[in-house]
Amino acid sequence: MAPWEEKAKVARDYRDESLSKIDPPLKGLPDPLPLNSQDLPKQYLTDREYELTQNYDPIALLDLLRTKKVTSEELTKAFLRRAALAQYAVNCITELMWDEAIERAKYLDSLSEPIGPLHGLPISIKEYHSFKGKSTHGSYIAWIGGLSRHNVVNETLFSAGCVYYARTTGPQALMHLETINNIYGRTVNPYNRNLTPGGSSGGEAALVGFRGSVLGLGGDIGGSVRAPAGDTGLYGFKPTTGRIPAKGTKNPMVGRDSVGSTQGPLTVSRETINLFMKVILDSEPWRVDPSITVKPWTPEKFSRPLKIAIEWHDGVVKPHPPTTRALKEVAAACAAAGHKVVDWVPLDHAKGWDIVSRLYFPDGGEAVLNLIHESGEPVLPLTEWIINQPGVKNLTMHEYWALCAERDQYRDDYAKHWAATADSSDGEVDVILCPVTPGAAPLHETSKYWPYTSQWNLLDYPGVVFPVTSVDVQKDGKEVGYTPMNEQDRWNYELYEPEKYIGAPISLQIVGRRFMDEKVMAALEIIEKAMGRS
Amino acid sequence: MAPWEEKAKVARDYRDESLSKIDPPLKGLPDPLPLNSQDLPKQYLTDREYELTQNYDPIALLDLLRTKKVTSEELTKAFLRRAALAQYAVNCITELMWDEAIERAKYLDSLSEPIGPLHGLPISIKEYHSFKGKSTHGSYIAWIGGLSRHNVVNETLFSAGCVYYARTTGPQALMHLETINNIYGRTVNPYNRNLTPGGSSGGEAALVGFRGSVLGLGGDIGGSVRAPAGDTGLYGFKPTTGRIPAKGTKNPMVGRDSVGSTQGPLTVSRETINLFMKVILDSEPWRVDPSITVKPWTPEKFSRPLKIAIEWHDGVVKPHPPTTRALKEVAAACAAAGHKVVDWVPLDHAKGWDIVSRLYFPDGGEAVLNLIHESGEPVLPLTEWIINQPGVKNLTMHEYWALCAERDQYRDDYAKHWAATADSSDGEVDVILCPVTPGAAPLHETSKYWPYTSQWNLLDYPGVVFPVTSVDVQKDGKEVGYTPMNEQDRWNYELYEPEKYIGAPISLQIVGRRFMDEKVMAALEIIEKAMGRS
């Protein structure tokens, strides 16, 4: 066993030890595992555990807690056991916090008054996000056993009364839209194990998609909240950077501010996102993190029909049939509800990818590669793929400024492009409705087209992902006779056969202009209502 | 004559040609000029011109315009003539726009309804800020005859109805807190020609300090609005970056976003700043400049006493006696008015300067020096001084990230330092009252201590400068027996003799936490009221 493998085993042993605390243990687990994991919880949990973890969103759970219909201890144990089952099924856990979580839950149960708006609610969190008093490796073997950084969002949720009980996996370098690393291997999709749950917050997505959690914390610089949320049928939100803290994650590129990252929630209902944002911003995080914009969470309501622009495709890669069907269904529902539905004209998204991919690694990926090489662990294919994007290199300062100037010019151009939609009788486009990825959850190792999410990181526009439908082998046949627009499009087109994606959720994304976070959330409500949801 | 001198002469000839349009011309101008220029306008302007330019702030002038007590044409001509006199007295003009300004004023006068809130108001603007349809050199000889960039603030003020009539000088590289360049030579202080009007917006400060303008537009990355405003007895405001657009200036470091710059007004009254901010933000500049925070201008009012922290000195360099006297007088007035007055404890401002000076030139100053060398013009001493600050070098990408991480850590530390003031019975400090520069307007070539302003650029805290008093030879004797804290402090101490600074205004600065722009302006109102002003 190579030294890096020994070190990786230390982290796995730690995880396994944490899972062994589960009491009562899970028994008679299936081997081999089914393709779709969604039926396992009912079989292996008690009815009460199943009910508590299956039927409620965080807002409903908080109501049960407040009205003493459940204790935090009972609820936490139910999620701990379901999370342990999730680990068995989809390999998403780095640590289960059995003792600590139950102790915390008991403490909260013992108080006569709630300590905050999340009093007693179990929450999961991506390992990469650091955790007070624990070590964090950020999926780098060299960092196993290393210290955590201080994370304002974690602390805020803790102060609001949550119970942390599980930490989850991320991919090597945290720069895949899948989740695989040399420590824990591959995390798979709870709807179809041949598919990825996405990444980099794929451990969260797999766990919440399995309902081993109902609220998880991820982060997004290229789609790392939205893609996994979309791949697993969840709600996921990437706010404008600087609305909520991004600090505390464990990565080797501290000080790189070429393109902003942000934390964000993966959860099971729309209103949980609003709650999450309110809890974070009510805490006035700018008082301790001065990178945060002083702007309280102020929900919006529309008193007029929306003008919704549909991005059918981005001019480079056309999404697979189920995604196009989802766009059509939602567009039709919106039009039927009286909203104005128009086509979005993408402004050179290929250029957007060219710029943002270089902004990710202005050192040519050296910091990441050095840290990987430090332990001797292998560089994984998707790590190599992203670092080897054309144009990525270790830049001189003047080359870097030129790149930042290109970025700023592109942002200006896009702002004017959007503003120009106001030059029509029905006014400016409110939001764009668009794909999250160019299809359902990708087959493993095929997540090589980021621009449906990374475009909005480059522009720093908020985006929320919501579930729409799922792959339907009947309805979603391969498009025959399609002539791909280019080689990337051909590659994506050829990936698709409906049978390969069976069971996969199909999600869409709503995007607004920079800082229009509340507007995006208000638009989601309106669009879901148009879809007949509450 | 060297080629660079010939090129410089082209720009000076252009300026002189623009000044020759003045009608009627100014006659019998004094030679030599007096030390203090403040008595000249009464001697060389008509009574009406003097009244219009001397007695009103922009808000009062807008009222005169609205009520037709003056036409924009008459007002513009008065400011054009006073600006021409200012040029003679203090050398602050790069171009006087006689024909265009009068044509614009006549057009505005011809309309039955005002086109915006600044309808008919003459406004001056720093040459560096670019001007539609004109060339901009940014004080670089290599750029004489070069194109202007698009400037959102200029366009916004223009759409609001202003009349541009004068463009003003800046220093070489725009990185002096004085104003001297190889094209126009030195701009001097209208209160004492042996002193600088500050910089880099020193042309604006000299012009507005002479009342050749009542509202000028400058920019600030290290003190370039606040220091000149303070040196000439004006109100000057540096908002948090991203509140109003910074784009459009002509400089060779486009894409450098290590430390933010912002535009800001230099003017003759507090409420003009509020008007300026409201006009800019009412235009929703974020629709075309996506770097702007979506945050309307929302004036605050305090319904409780303020907690004001006095920064008597920054722990490195103690200000000269007139500044300390001003701090004492204002602190006493605030205390007498019932406000809580405490001492500010600076958190390692020497480190702040170390960080921010390196952030200014992460390429070691190469872009600036290359552009200077391109024409062959000499590198001026204050340019050399700022680029040669310890630690300034052309950084590799990883060195640059390390510097940005240092910056972010320092910002975090300062945020926590400020937040910690809340741990007292009287709550968190609202604002800091502090010097603008370590004394009155500096003697030429001595502006070598920036941290009283640059500290707040590093932290991105808003700061407003306001006039307090002026140097009083009787009251402001040199402090005898003072033991300097260090070599920088000794250097500053030894500069001071009250007679050298005779006539110089003394100003102070109010600083608030990041994004607390409206709070800083509200605090200024309260503090001025405590001082017995309106």
Side-chain angles (χ1 to χ4, degrees), chain A residues 120-306:
Chain A
L121 183 74
I123 288 182
S124 56
I125 183 166
K126 193 176 179 181
E127 194 270 353
Y128 163 72
H129 279 225
S130 290
F131 201 95
K132 195 177 177 178
K134 292 188 175 289
S135 86
T136 298
H137 51 60
S139 305
Y140 288 101
I141 290 182
W143 271 347
I144 289 174
L147 293 179
S148 283
R149 298 203 166 107
H150 176 68
N151 188 308
V152 176
V153 169
N154 300 9
E155 302 287 315
T156 303
L157 299 176
F158 192 80
S159 298
C162 82
V163 177
Y164 287 117
Y165 69 103
R167 299 175 72 196
T168 61
T169 52
Q172 186 180 54
L174 275 301
M175 287 296 283
H176 306 182
L177 293 187
E178 302 197 5
T179 298
I180 182 170
N181 61 55
N182 290 314
I183 306 172
Y184 308 106
R186 191 185 296 284
T187 304
V188 302
N189 194 304
Y191 287 91
N192 180 333
R193 50 194 315 101
N194 293 334
L195 306 176
T196 178
S200 68
S201 309
E204 281 306 317
L207 181 63
V208 184
F210 189 85
R211 277 203 172 249
S213 169
V214 283
L215 174 57
L217 192 59
D220 196 315
I221 196 172
S224 281
V225 162
R226 289 163 296 152
D231 290 339
T232 54
L234 303 176
Y235 292 79
F237 185 48
K238 179 201 84 66
T240 304
T241 62
R243 288 303 301 272
I244 63 172
K247 286 175 186 168
T249 56
K250 189 80 181 267
N251 81 76
M253 298 198 279
V254 172
R256 175 203 58 177
D257 53 11
S258 48
V259 58
S261 68
T262 179
Q263 299 190 21
L266 297 93
T267 184
V268 296
S269 73
R270 178 187 71 236
E271 289 310 321
T272 303
I273 294 174
N274 280 309
L275 173 66
F276 175 89
M277 292 300 290
K278 182 171 158 51
V279 168
I280 300 291
L281 288 173
D282 279 358
S283 76
E284 303 189 335
W286 47 80
R287 290 193 63 243
V288 290
D289 181 348
S291 69
I292 300 306
T293 304
V294 178
K295 201 172 158 79
W297 186 251
T298 45
E300 287 195 24
K301 288 277 175 198
F302 287 100
S303 54
R304 56 169 174 82
L306 288 184

Side-chain angles (χ1 to χ4, degrees), chain A residues 284-360:
Chain A
E284 303 189 335
W286 47 80
R287 290 193 63 243
V288 290
D289 181 348
S291 69
I292 300 306
T293 304
V294 178
K295 201 172 158 79
W297 186 251
T298 45
E300 287 195 24
K301 288 277 175 198
F302 287 100
S303 54
R304 56 169 174 82
L306 288 184
K307 183 171 176 182
I308 302 164
I310 315 290
E311 187 196 34
W312 298 102
H313 66 76
D314 69 355
V316 184
V317 167
K318 187 177 174 182
H320 291 160
T323 303
T324 300
R325 176 171 59 84
L327 284 168
K328 282 182 186 165
E329 287 174 7
V330 178
C334 290
H339 302 290
K340 178 81 186 170
V341 176
V342 299
D343 293 341
W344 183 250
V345 180
L347 182 70
D348 202 350
H349 287 205
K351 186 178 187 177
W353 176 248
D354 171 55
I355 293 171
V356 78
S357 58
R358 289 183 284 145
L359 290 169
Y360 288 141

Side-chain angles (χ1 to χ4, degrees), chain A residues 257 287 294-295 407 428, chain B residues 257 287 294-295 407 428:
Chain A
D257 53 11
R287 290 193 63 243
V294 178
K295 201 172 158 79
R407 172 197 68 195
E428 187 169 299
Chain B
D257 53 11
R287 291 193 62 243
V294 178
K295 201 172 157 78
R407 171 197 69 194
E428 186 170 299

Side-chain angles (χ1 to χ4, degrees), chain B residues 9 32 64 70 113 134 140 153 165 202 398 409:
Chain B
K9 187 171 178 302
L64 294 183
V70 68
E113 290 297 325
K134 293 186 175 291
Y140 288 101
V153 169
Y165 68 103
H398 288 179
Q409 186 61 53

